[in-house]
Amino acid sequence: MEPQKDTRSLILSTGRRLTAKRGYTGVGLSDLLKEAGVPKGSFYHYFPSKEAYGCAVLDDFIREYNARLGSSLRQPETDARTRFLAYFEDWHRNQVSPNPEDRCLVVRLSAEVADLSPTMSKILQQGVISIVEHLAGTLEEGVADGTIGPLGDPSAMAETIYHMWLGASLVASLSHDDASLKSAMRATQELVPRL
């Protein structure tokens, strides 16, 4: 890897880890660069502003997340309903993990950046749209392969379920309890019935 790309990647990976723990506004540039071991003056060589850096962190996260999501939802040896539910079982496990880096940055940052940066909000919104499309595709496969009962509109169902999980995750963060995630899983199982 070229030194410039390597340093940029180091800043992004360090920033993502710190952002997962402290949120976007909780990460100062001096703390970020100190943690990454990068000289203070070099930040603006890689990013024109802190917002551009935040956008890059989110772009990297969404790209990586979509790659993982695509591979987990496209396992030919497992039926579509099982894959769909496994996605949310992983979500539950990650949201209650003691390691903040395991948790979803969409959940962590959505409310924080909504009014802070239209560009960062747009990146998160596009990420959500992409995730919902993956989930809708899995629901369609399940209806086609006979592991999921008929659904009126798989895209609308995927969106509803995803939004329910975002809300459940926020409640779980507030309450420091996973009861809302358990409730979301029960509702998901009912909304995606076996044939």
mmCIF file of all heavy atoms in Angstrom, residues 2-23:
data_model
loop_
_atom_site.group_PDB
_atom_site.id
_atom_site.type_symbol
_atom_site.label_atom_id
_atom_site.label_comp_id
_atom_site.label_asym_id
_atom_site.label_seq_id
_atom_site.Cartn_x
_atom_site.Cartn_y
_atom_site.Cartn_z
ATOM 1 N N GLU A 2 0.486 2.244 -0.785
ATOM 2 C CA GLU A 2 1.250 3.480 -0.842
ATOM 3 C C GLU A 2 1.202 4.163 0.522
ATOM 4 O O GLU A 2 0.184 4.126 1.200
ATOM 5 C CB GLU A 2 0.639 4.409 -1.890
ATOM 6 C CG GLU A 2 0.663 3.852 -3.285
ATOM 7 C CD GLU A 2 -0.123 4.728 -4.253
ATOM 8 O OE1 GLU A 2 -0.228 5.948 -4.017
ATOM 9 O OE2 GLU A 2 -0.628 4.168 -5.228
ATOM 10 N N PRO A 3 2.320 4.836 0.916
ATOM 11 C CA PRO A 3 2.345 5.495 2.230
ATOM 12 C C PRO A 3 1.186 6.467 2.436
ATOM 13 O O PRO A 3 0.599 6.538 3.510
ATOM 14 C CB PRO A 3 3.689 6.226 2.247
ATOM 15 C CG PRO A 3 4.542 5.470 1.277
ATOM 16 C CD PRO A 3 3.598 4.928 0.228
ATOM 17 N N GLN A 4 0.818 7.246 1.390
ATOM 18 C CA GLN A 4 -0.270 8.213 1.538
ATOM 19 C C GLN A 4 -1.591 7.505 1.826
ATOM 20 O O GLN A 4 -2.336 7.906 2.710
ATOM 21 C CB GLN A 4 -0.382 9.068 0.276
ATOM 22 C CG GLN A 4 -1.447 10.137 0.396
ATOM 23 C CD GLN A 4 -1.430 11.107 -0.777
ATOM 24 O OE1 GLN A 4 -0.509 11.119 -1.562
ATOM 25 N NE2 GLN A 4 -2.457 11.918 -0.863
ATOM 26 N N LYS A 5 -1.898 6.460 1.070
ATOM 27 C CA LYS A 5 -3.134 5.711 1.296
ATOM 28 C C LYS A 5 -3.092 5.008 2.640
ATOM 29 O O LYS A 5 -4.104 4.875 3.312
ATOM 30 C CB LYS A 5 -3.362 4.709 0.169
ATOM 31 C CG LYS A 5 -3.838 5.344 -1.115
ATOM 32 C CD LYS A 5 -4.239 4.290 -2.109
ATOM 33 C CE LYS A 5 -4.807 4.941 -3.355
ATOM 34 N NZ LYS A 5 -5.191 3.953 -4.361
ATOM 35 N N ASP A 6 -1.898 4.532 3.023
ATOM 36 C CA ASP A 6 -1.751 3.845 4.296
ATOM 37 C C ASP A 6 -2.051 4.797 5.460
ATOM 38 O O ASP A 6 -2.773 4.441 6.392
ATOM 39 C CB ASP A 6 -0.330 3.282 4.403
ATOM 40 C CG ASP A 6 -0.183 2.310 5.549
ATOM 41 O OD1 ASP A 6 -1.140 1.557 5.807
ATOM 42 O OD2 ASP A 6 0.880 2.305 6.182
ATOM 43 N N THR A 7 -1.533 6.014 5.405
ATOM 44 C CA THR A 7 -1.779 6.991 6.463
ATOM 45 C C THR A 7 -3.244 7.382 6.490
ATOM 46 O O THR A 7 -3.857 7.478 7.557
ATOM 47 C CB THR A 7 -0.891 8.237 6.263
ATOM 48 O OG1 THR A 7 0.481 7.819 6.263
ATOM 49 C CG2 THR A 7 -1.122 9.255 7.359
ATOM 50 N N ARG A 8 -3.829 7.593 5.322
ATOM 51 C CA ARG A 8 -5.252 7.945 5.243
ATOM 52 C C ARG A 8 -6.097 6.823 5.844
ATOM 53 O O ARG A 8 -7.012 7.066 6.624
ATOM 54 C CB ARG A 8 -5.653 8.196 3.788
ATOM 55 C CG ARG A 8 -7.079 8.665 3.624
ATOM 56 C CD ARG A 8 -7.390 8.924 2.143
ATOM 57 N NE ARG A 8 -8.672 9.563 1.964
ATOM 58 C CZ ARG A 8 -9.839 8.929 1.960
ATOM 59 N NH1 ARG A 8 -9.888 7.617 2.107
ATOM 60 N NH2 ARG A 8 -10.962 9.603 1.797
ATOM 61 N N SER A 9 -5.779 5.584 5.494
ATOM 62 C CA SER A 9 -6.508 4.431 6.033
ATOM 63 C C SER A 9 -6.349 4.332 7.541
ATOM 64 O O SER A 9 -7.297 3.992 8.246
ATOM 65 C CB SER A 9 -6.025 3.136 5.374
ATOM 66 O OG SER A 9 -6.315 3.143 4.008
ATOM 67 N N LEU A 10 -5.156 4.625 8.036
ATOM 68 C CA LEU A 10 -4.908 4.599 9.478
ATOM 69 C C LEU A 10 -5.754 5.644 10.192
ATOM 70 O O LEU A 10 -6.366 5.370 11.225
ATOM 71 C CB LEU A 10 -3.422 4.829 9.768
ATOM 72 C CG LEU A 10 -3.036 4.926 11.245
ATOM 73 C CD1 LEU A 10 -3.343 3.620 11.970
ATOM 74 C CD2 LEU A 10 -1.564 5.287 11.376
ATOM 75 N N ILE A 11 -5.829 6.853 9.630
ATOM 76 C CA ILE A 11 -6.657 7.907 10.228
ATOM 77 C C ILE A 11 -8.121 7.467 10.241
ATOM 78 O O ILE A 11 -8.823 7.621 11.237
ATOM 79 C CB ILE A 11 -6.488 9.236 9.466
ATOM 80 C CG1 ILE A 11 -5.075 9.787 9.656
ATOM 81 C CG2 ILE A 11 -7.524 10.260 9.934
ATOM 82 C CD1 ILE A 11 -4.736 10.972 8.759
ATOM 83 N N LEU A 12 -8.585 6.872 9.122
ATOM 84 C CA LEU A 12 -9.982 6.442 9.040
ATOM 85 C C LEU A 12 -10.290 5.311 10.016
ATOM 86 O O LEU A 12 -11.319 5.340 10.696
ATOM 87 C CB LEU A 12 -10.326 6.016 7.612
ATOM 88 C CG LEU A 12 -10.425 7.149 6.599
ATOM 89 C CD1 LEU A 12 -10.635 6.593 5.200
ATOM 90 C CD2 LEU A 12 -11.533 8.122 6.968
ATOM 91 N N SER A 13 -9.417 4.317 10.099
ATOM 92 C CA SER A 13 -9.701 3.192 10.989
ATOM 93 C C SER A 13 -9.643 3.620 12.459
ATOM 94 O O SER A 13 -10.469 3.206 13.274
ATOM 95 C CB SER A 13 -8.751 2.017 10.726
ATOM 96 O OG SER A 13 -7.417 2.373 10.993
ATOM 97 N N THR A 14 -8.700 4.491 12.785
ATOM 98 C CA THR A 14 -8.619 5.015 14.147
ATOM 99 C C THR A 14 -9.851 5.864 14.447
ATOM 100 O O THR A 14 -10.468 5.747 15.515
ATOM 101 C CB THR A 14 -7.346 5.861 14.328
ATOM 102 O OG1 THR A 14 -6.204 5.057 14.017
ATOM 103 C CG2 THR A 14 -7.238 6.391 15.751
ATOM 104 N N GLY A 15 -10.239 6.695 13.486
ATOM 105 C CA GLY A 15 -11.413 7.539 13.670
ATOM 106 C C GLY A 15 -12.685 6.736 13.834
ATOM 107 O O GLY A 15 -13.548 7.076 14.647
ATOM 108 N N ARG A 16 -12.804 5.682 13.074
ATOM 109 C CA ARG A 16 -14.005 4.842 13.188
ATOM 110 C C ARG A 16 -14.089 4.211 14.577
ATOM 111 O O ARG A 16 -15.151 4.184 15.202
ATOM 112 C CB ARG A 16 -13.985 3.765 12.112
ATOM 113 C CG ARG A 16 -15.230 2.930 12.121
ATOM 114 C CD ARG A 16 -15.312 2.138 10.863
ATOM 115 N NE ARG A 16 -16.073 0.934 11.068
ATOM 116 C CZ ARG A 16 -16.148 -0.047 10.212
ATOM 117 N NH1 ARG A 16 -15.495 0.010 9.081
ATOM 118 N NH2 ARG A 16 -16.852 -1.105 10.471
ATOM 119 N N ARG A 17 -12.952 3.737 15.066
ATOM 120 C CA ARG A 17 -12.932 3.133 16.402
ATOM 121 C C ARG A 17 -13.306 4.157 17.472
ATOM 122 O O ARG A 17 -14.134 3.893 18.348
ATOM 123 C CB ARG A 17 -11.539 2.551 16.673
ATOM 124 C CG ARG A 17 -11.390 1.840 17.990
ATOM 125 C CD ARG A 17 -10.068 1.096 18.104
ATOM 126 N NE ARG A 17 -8.914 1.818 17.609
ATOM 127 C CZ ARG A 17 -8.266 2.775 18.265
ATOM 128 N NH1 ARG A 17 -8.673 3.140 19.474
ATOM 129 N NH2 ARG A 17 -7.209 3.376 17.754
ATOM 130 N N LEU A 18 -12.727 5.348 17.386
ATOM 131 C CA LEU A 18 -13.030 6.394 18.369
ATOM 132 C C LEU A 18 -14.473 6.885 18.236
ATOM 133 O O LEU A 18 -15.145 7.138 19.236
ATOM 134 C CB LEU A 18 -12.058 7.568 18.203
ATOM 135 C CG LEU A 18 -10.600 7.285 18.557
ATOM 136 C CD1 LEU A 18 -9.728 8.498 18.228
ATOM 137 C CD2 LEU A 18 -10.442 6.900 20.018
ATOM 138 N N THR A 19 -14.960 7.003 16.997
ATOM 139 C CA THR A 19 -16.334 7.454 16.767
ATOM 140 C C THR A 19 -17.329 6.449 17.328
ATOM 141 O O THR A 19 -18.364 6.832 17.882
ATOM 142 C CB THR A 19 -16.575 7.687 15.266
ATOM 143 O OG1 THR A 19 -15.668 8.696 14.809
ATOM 144 C CG2 THR A 19 -17.995 8.119 14.984
ATOM 145 N N ALA A 20 -17.022 5.171 17.214
ATOM 146 C CA ALA A 20 -17.904 4.143 17.767
ATOM 147 C C ALA A 20 -18.029 4.289 19.277
ATOM 148 O O ALA A 20 -19.089 4.030 19.852
ATOM 149 C CB ALA A 20 -17.380 2.746 17.414
ATOM 150 N N LYS A 21 -16.969 4.751 19.920
ATOM 151 C CA LYS A 21 -16.985 4.916 21.375
ATOM 152 C C LYS A 21 -17.576 6.258 21.809
ATOM 153 O O LYS A 21 -18.328 6.325 22.776
ATOM 154 C CB LYS A 21 -15.551 4.828 21.925
ATOM 155 C CG LYS A 21 -14.933 3.468 21.825
ATOM 156 C CD LYS A 21 -13.503 3.499 22.337
ATOM 157 C CE LYS A 21 -12.830 2.158 22.149
ATOM 158 N NZ LYS A 21 -11.408 2.189 22.501
ATOM 159 N N ARG A 22 -17.211 7.347 21.097
ATOM 160 C CA ARG A 22 -17.523 8.691 21.579
ATOM 161 C C ARG A 22 -18.532 9.458 20.725
ATOM 162 O O ARG A 22 -18.950 10.538 21.122
ATOM 163 C CB ARG A 22 -16.240 9.527 21.610
ATOM 164 C CG ARG A 22 -15.136 8.967 22.450
ATOM 165 C CD ARG A 22 -13.964 9.919 22.400
ATOM 166 N NE ARG A 22 -12.732 9.280 22.812
ATOM 167 C CZ ARG A 22 -11.531 9.798 22.625
ATOM 168 N NH1 ARG A 22 -11.408 10.973 22.051
ATOM 169 N NH2 ARG A 22 -10.461 9.157 23.023
ATOM 170 N N GLY A 23 -18.864 8.950 19.556
ATOM 171 C CA GLY A 23 -19.694 9.713 18.634
ATOM 172 C C GLY A 23 -18.823 10.615 17.778
ATOM 173 O O GLY A 23 -17.622 10.782 18.030
#
